Amino acid sequence: MDSIYDRALIEIGNENKYQTRYDVIYHIIFLVFWVGAYLNIILAITVTPHECKIPEKPHNISQLDWKIKNIPRYEDIKGKIQFDSCSMYVDPYKSNETKACLEYTYDTTWYDKTVPSEYNWVCDKELHVVSIMISMKIAEVIGSIFFGWFSDVYGRRYTYMISITMLLLGRMISLLAGNSYIIFCIGVIIAHLPSTTAAQTISVICLEMSSLKRGAAITRIRFIANSFGSFIMPLILWWTRDWKLFVILTTAPLIPFVIMSWKMIESPRWLYSQGRVQESIIILKKIAKTNNKNMEANTEKVMISLNEKAAEKPQVCGVFTLFSSRRLAFNTILQTIVWMVSSLSYAYLLMSSGEKTDSNPFLEFAWQSLIETPSVFISAWLADKIGRRYTGITSLGITSVMWTSIVIRENSSGGLIREWWVGSLFNIVARLTTIVTFFVINLLSMEFYPTCLRQTGMAFGNIVGGAVATMVPYMIYLGRRYDPRIPGFILALTSFLGIIAAFILPETLNAKLPETLEEAQHFGSKDSSRDSEQLKPLKNHREWHDLDLEFGWDGKNRVWEKFMKKC
């Protein structure tokens, strides 16, 4: 079925003007705006340095001495004396009895207002922030389950339309929530239910109307747009310094995309796989018109005739189909482990970068985001040179070293390793290698699964990765309140686990990729490799297209019959 569809794609142009225009509108402009709306809440809920508001000091004492007299102190794990940020003495002249802060003062070096500083969600209410982060990740998990299934069953177009509408609506609710933690959290949940699905959906649509070899290019453009959007976003907050204005400015650009969402096309490959051949052909002809190409009448006839049975019983695959054979389940589990490891590292780097106190948090976030652009080119080059598997092993190995170095740094009290730029360098390198891993696992997920299972497979990786990433807010909280070495230690161990999983995964570079569920169920096995070599000459669609000149339609029909028998 997919072979005649790919033949039709060649005829209408699978790497031409229509695909380029789609990339500019959705993979560049839309994704730059989308990433700002998706990530802005992370910076908005940054917990800034704070302490109890103490009485006005007398004239005969210095500010530091007055602070020492009113605020308790403690010794941290490196032996440094720190002021308590959540308590003060009841009466410093009579006893050492302490009480919780009644009011707070906030460090406004970088932020004028964040959500925690405006609503005093600190100290005993700091778990509000943790809960919001966890709700965000849980919503992404649930949304990935539902919308991954929804996209494969009801279509990519509706998934896109619903996703951006909910993201916009959720942010609006959070802005209007006031001091209500419950309403604010509801807004975050609504916004993040479909958040990861929006970007995946537009990439899947593009891949399914392009040649399969464009998979790496599509992933590369998507990651570069994410990088640029993430780079601009903290600079906007640096300029506004107020979380509400910042959220409005980074969310509003999605409004035109919501209004014009009805113009998004449905994936013609998905329509074809569901037996909706006439609808698929209409879209293919629309693409052909833009590309100044034509679909042959005979190709249209073959598409209709070969898809009659599929039209009666369209192939629908759900999450459980990922485990429908031993080999497919094994591949899915290995991919999922890599998804988990990369999601954990990326979520920690993302959620913690706004709280840097030894350097500019906005520039720290921006530099980490900007490094994603060269990492994408490095990823693509390595993936095509040494393969997807070895690229993943290398990136995970370097990531593990970086997290180990960060643990060592947090255990040191002085020296070069404690310089602010060394910590920034470790985080930037970790971000670079994590993006390399993300690029590889996204590429593998698109290549491992056939059309009927592609978005479900990618969504499943996001599901489990997002579920594991719900640990990150607790990791940040434990690192902030108890021991800053805890996050690095956990991330170093999980990165090592990812190395093992990547080493066992089958390679997809130069392999015959599965086009049906049956092929996916055997991909990576010895039988699959042998079949790939036997069918390779018949799978070259450009050669199939050239049979027109050499044999005519009748000759091509005979070759097609032989091909179908071998399949």
Side-chain angles (χ1 to χ4, degrees):
M1 184 195 301
D2 287 338
S3 296
I4 188 62
Y5 175 87
D6 288 330
R7 176 186 163 201
L9 276 184
I10 293 170
E11 291 175 358
I12 68 168
N14 55 14
E15 297 179 20
N16 292 74
K17 183 179 177 181
Y18 192 94
Q19 286 82 359
T20 302
R21 187 176 67 183
Y22 183 96
D23 282 339
V24 171
I25 295 173
Y26 294 105
H27 277 136
I28 297 176
I29 299 173
F30 169 74
L31 279 183
V32 167
F33 291 145
W34 172 83
V35 77
Y38 170 46
L39 297 179
N40 56 23
I41 205 69
I42 293 174
L43 290 179
I45 60 175
T46 298
V47 178
T48 54
H50 54 277
E51 59 186 26
C52 292
K53 185 176 182 179
I54 57 179
E56 188 176 345
K57 74 176 185 70
H59 295 293
N60 60 347
I61 189 171
S62 69
Q63 186 65 44
L64 178 60
D65 288 338
W66 184 241
K67 185 175 179 180
I68 292 172
K69 199 163 191 65
N70 283 276
I71 306 293
R73 292 174 294 166
Y74 66 94
E75 186 177 304
D76 64 18
I77 61 168
K78 289 175 280 190
K80 289 186 177 181
I81 302 299
Q82 304 283 356
F83 285 100
D84 194 306
S85 59
C86 295
S87 64
M88 60 186 295
Y89 291 119
V90 174
D91 188 341
Y93 293 100
K94 293 183 178 179
S95 69
N96 290 331
E97 184 183 353
T98 61
K99 63 179 180 179
C101 302
L102 299 177
E103 295 182 70
Y104 298 91
T105 58
Y106 294 91
D107 186 345
T108 56
T109 304
W110 303 114
Y111 303 88
D112 284 347
K113 280 184 182 180
T114 64
V115 177
S117 67
E118 182 169 353
Y119 302 136
N120 289 326
W121 290 353
V122 293
C123 297
D124 58 324
K125 292 184 179 179
E126 191 173 325
L127 285 175
H128 283 0
V129 178
V130 177
S131 298
I132 289 168
M133 287 185 174
I134 292 172
S135 299
M136 185 190 309
K137 302 310 292 184
I138 292 175
E140 290 174 7
V141 171
I142 296 172
S144 294
I145 295 172
F146 176 77
F147 285 104
W149 165 82
F150 186 90
S151 177
D152 282 335
V153 175
Y154 294 102
R156 310 344 186 171
R157 180 171 177 262
Y158 289 132
T159 305
Y160 164 80
M161 295 169 69
I162 294 170
S163 295
I164 56 175
T165 302
M166 288 182 67
L167 181 54
L168 196 65
L169 177 64
R171 288 291 179 261
M172 191 183 303
I173 292 172
S174 294
L175 282 168
L176 299 175
N179 195 31
S180 173
Y181 155 71
I182 299 295
I183 296 176
F184 189 96
C185 201
I186 289 171
V188 169
I189 291 170
I190 291 173
H192 284 259
L193 275 168
S195 55
T196 58
T197 312
Q200 279 188 358
T201 299
I202 62 171
S203 294
V204 169
I205 291 174
C206 190
L207 180 66
E208 292 178 347
M209 65 178 179
S210 308
S211 64
L212 287 178
K213 68 180 183 181
R214 284 198 76 225
I218 291 169
T219 306
R220 182 165 59 245
I221 294 170
R222 175 180 160 187
F223 273 74
I224 291 172
N226 281 342
S227 173
F228 187 67
S230 299
F231 173 76
I232 293 174
M233 182 188 62
L235 303 183
I236 295 174
L237 181 54
W238 192 8
W239 172 57
T240 62
R241 297 177 64 91
D242 181 274
W243 77 271
K244 285 184 178 177
L245 181 59
F246 163 66
V247 170
I248 292 170
L249 290 177
T250 50
T251 305
L254 283 185
I255 295 175
F257 287 94
V258 173
I259 296 171
M260 301 301 293
S261 61
W262 60 273
K263 281 200 164 188
M264 168 63 78
I265 65 164
E266 183 54 88
S267 164
R269 186 185 287 268
W270 177 82
L271 289 170
Y272 186 66
S273 71
Q274 297 297 299
R276 296 161 63 178
V277 190
Q278 294 294 345
E279 294 175 65
S280 176
I281 290 172
I282 289 171
I283 294 175
L284 290 174
K285 287 182 177 180
K286 179 181 177 181
I287 296 171
K289 184 178 179 181
T290 303
N291 291 340
N292 295 319
K293 303 275 187 177
N294 289 300
M295 183 192 297
E296 294 182 8
N298 285 330
T299 302
E300 185 175 337
K301 289 179 182 178
V302 174
M303 287 180 71
I304 295 171
S305 63
L306 289 178
N307 212 287
E308 286 178 352
K309 292 183 179 179
E312 295 172 5
K313 296 180 180 180
Q315 187 177 21
V316 177
C317 303
V319 173
F320 292 110
T321 312
L322 297 171
F323 302 91
S324 57
S325 76
R326 182 180 298 177
R327 187 69 219 186
L328 181 57
F330 189 60
N331 289 342
T332 298
I333 291 169
L334 292 174
Q335 284 185 89
T336 302
I337 291 173
V338 179
W339 271 108
M340 289 190 312
V341 172
S342 52
S343 295
L344 198 62
S345 288
Y346 189 77
Y348 179 80
L349 287 164
L350 204 60
M351 291 182 176
S352 63
S353 56
E355 298 187 6
K356 292 285 292 184
T357 55
D358 53 357
S359 64
N360 186 321
F362 309 114
L363 290 179
E364 179 77 16
F365 196 106
W367 298 142
Q368 284 191 32
S369 300
L370 195 61
I371 201 63
E372 293 185 9
T373 297
S375 70
V376 169
F377 289 99
I378 294 170
S379 307
W381 182 78
L382 286 174
D384 288 337
K385 289 295 180 182
I386 66 174
R388 284 71 159 127
R389 188 163 63 100
Y390 286 112
T391 301
I393 293 169
T394 303
S395 61
L396 286 163
I398 297 173
T399 305
S400 181
V401 171
M402 288 301 101
W403 289 125
T404 304
S405 301
I406 288 171
V407 172
I408 295 171
R409 181 176 185 268
E410 294 295 348
N411 202 44
S412 304
S413 56
L416 180 64
I417 198 170
R418 287 302 307 174
E419 293 290 334
W420 68 266
W421 61 267
V422 174
S424 295
L425 180 63
F426 287 158
N427 284 320
I428 287 171
V429 174
R431 182 78 167 258
L432 186 151
T433 53
T434 299
I435 291 301
V436 172
T437 308
F438 253 128
F439 182 95
V440 169
I441 196 59
N442 269 274
L443 190 56
L444 282 171
S445 293
M446 284 195 289
E447 293 176 338
F448 268 134
Y449 300 115
T451 302
C452 69
L453 200 58
R454 184 168 292 122
Q455 188 139 352
T456 299
M458 295 180 71
F460 184 76
N462 271 316
I463 290 165
V464 183
V468 173
T470 58
M471 293 172 52
V472 169
Y474 281 120
M475 288 165 54
I476 295 173
Y477 179 75
L478 292 173
R480 188 193 302 132
R481 287 293 172 192
Y482 297 101
D483 190 334
R485 297 170 297 184
I486 292 174
F489 182 74
I490 294 172
L491 292 166
L493 286 178
T494 54
S495 297
F496 182 73
L497 176 63
I499 294 172
I500 298 172
F503 184 79
I504 304 173
L505 273 170
E507 181 59 73
T508 60
L509 180 65
N510 298 325
K512 174 190 170 294
L513 301 180
E515 296 181 353
T516 65
L517 177 59
E518 290 73 20
E519 290 177 2
Q521 288 172 335
H522 296 92
F523 185 77
S525 64
K526 292 181 180 179
D527 290 342
S528 173
S529 302
R530 185 165 58 250
D531 292 343
S532 175
E533 291 301 316
Q534 290 175 351
L535 293 176
K536 189 174 181 181
L538 287 172
K539 285 293 187 180
N540 189 318
H541 305 298
R542 291 190 184 276
E543 290 181 6
W544 165 261
H545 186 64
D546 292 340
L547 289 173
D548 255 335
L549 300 176
E550 189 172 350
F551 298 110
W553 175 248
D554 291 336
K556 286 194 296 181
N557 238 0
R558 290 193 296 272
V559 175
W560 177 257
E561 288 172 3
K562 291 180 181 179
F563 167 72
M564 292 303 290
K565 286 179 182 178
K566 284 200 172 186
C567 287

